[in-house]
Amino acid sequence: VPFVEDCEEALKDVVLACDGISALVGTLIRSEEGALSVGAFIENKKIVKYIGKKNVFKSYELSTIKPSKGGEIITVGGKQIAVLVGEDLLIENEFGTKTEMIVAIYADRYSKGQIAQRYDYFKNIAYEKNKISIFVNHLGGQTDWIYDGSSCVFNTQKQGLGFLKSFGEELFIFDTDNQVVVEEPEQDVN
């Protein structure tokens, strides 16, 4: 539980920094049932809600992460955004006609060819659902697991609007009203 406590303390610092802005932060929190994997939706120095991971089925998660309510729709700047955590996007994929974007918060481990596969998956989600698709992945490591980051944004024409570094920290600001297409970085798929 010390790691979950560290996550909760770090989230307090993020909340205090969100003065006049909205933020969505992937984290772990404690509940009566156990640890929950969530997206914390923050506005004006306040946690508005936690959006939890509903589908917990990976063997390494089953002993530590408990399922919760699942994806929800939030409104930021007048835009409706579907927010899902982890593999919920694979199962819960009906978002309504008014939703403009899908944000998927993940802790997806690296493996060779995985980044290119993710890009293909999320560009297809954007095209098929006719919504901007935003994939936010964890960066870091735990024992022999590596989380590569490689977050990305795609428009409804399968075009990349943003690609964050693989294996490195980076800040990226995405303007929903001024979408600039960028070239997809090459990945080693062999």
Side-chain angles (χ1 to χ4, degrees):
V1 181
F3 178 71
V4 177
E5 290 172 359
D6 290 345
C7 291
E8 290 173 335
E9 286 301 313
L11 184 61
K12 289 178 186 176
D13 293 337
V14 173
V15 169
L16 292 176
C18 291
D19 188 14
I21 64 169
S22 301
L24 190 58
V25 178
T27 189
L28 293 174
I29 61 168
R30 289 176 287 181
S31 74
E32 291 179 10
E33 295 81 29
L36 302 177
S37 181
V38 301
F41 176 43
I42 305 164
E43 284 190 315
N44 298 316
K45 294 186 176 186
K46 180 181 174 200
I47 297 174
V48 177
K49 65 170 66 177
Y50 292 109
I51 301 160
K53 182 176 183 173
K54 181 177 182 179
N55 299 286
V56 178
F57 51 81
K58 290 185 176 176
S59 59
Y60 60 86
E61 291 180 326
L62 290 171
S63 63
T64 55
I65 304 293
K66 303 302 176 196
S68 59
K69 183 179 174 186
E72 292 190 41
I73 295 176
I74 61 173
T75 302
V76 177
K79 297 182 186 300
Q80 289 192 343
I81 304 167
V83 179
L84 297 109
V85 179
E87 292 75 16
D88 285 358
L89 181 60
L90 302 174
I91 299 162
E92 318 286 330
N93 56 18
E94 293 304 319
F95 311 110
T97 57
K98 294 183 181 179
T99 304
E100 297 180 43
M101 289 175 254
I102 302 165
V103 175
I105 301 171
Y106 268 72
D108 195 25
R109 295 186 288 179
Y110 173 77
S111 62
K112 196 165 192 165
Q114 179 71 13
I115 297 169
Q117 289 175 2
R118 269 192 231 127
Y119 288 169
D120 287 342
Y121 178 74
F122 283 97
K123 73 173 75 166
N124 287 326
I125 287 287
Y127 178 77
E128 291 167 10
K129 298 300 178 183
N130 197 33
K131 299 176 188 326
I132 293 170
S133 172
I134 303 170
F135 169 76
V136 182
N137 196 32
H138 178 64
L139 172 67
Q142 177 184 350
T143 59
D144 60 343
W145 298 348
I146 299 171
Y147 301 95
D148 56 88
S150 306
S151 300
C152 54
V153 180
F154 290 98
N155 68 15
T156 59
Q157 291 82 43
K158 296 184 170 184
Q159 298 168 312
L161 302 176
F163 298 93
L164 277 74
K165 288 182 193 176
S166 298
F167 307 103
E169 292 183 20
E170 185 174 8
L171 174 65
F172 175 71
I173 298 172
F174 169 62
D175 184 349
T176 60
D177 297 321
N178 185 22
Q179 299 177 20
V180 177
V181 175
V182 297
E183 189 172 325
E184 184 173 321
E186 289 191 32
Q187 300 295 328
D188 181 8
V189 294
N190 296 321

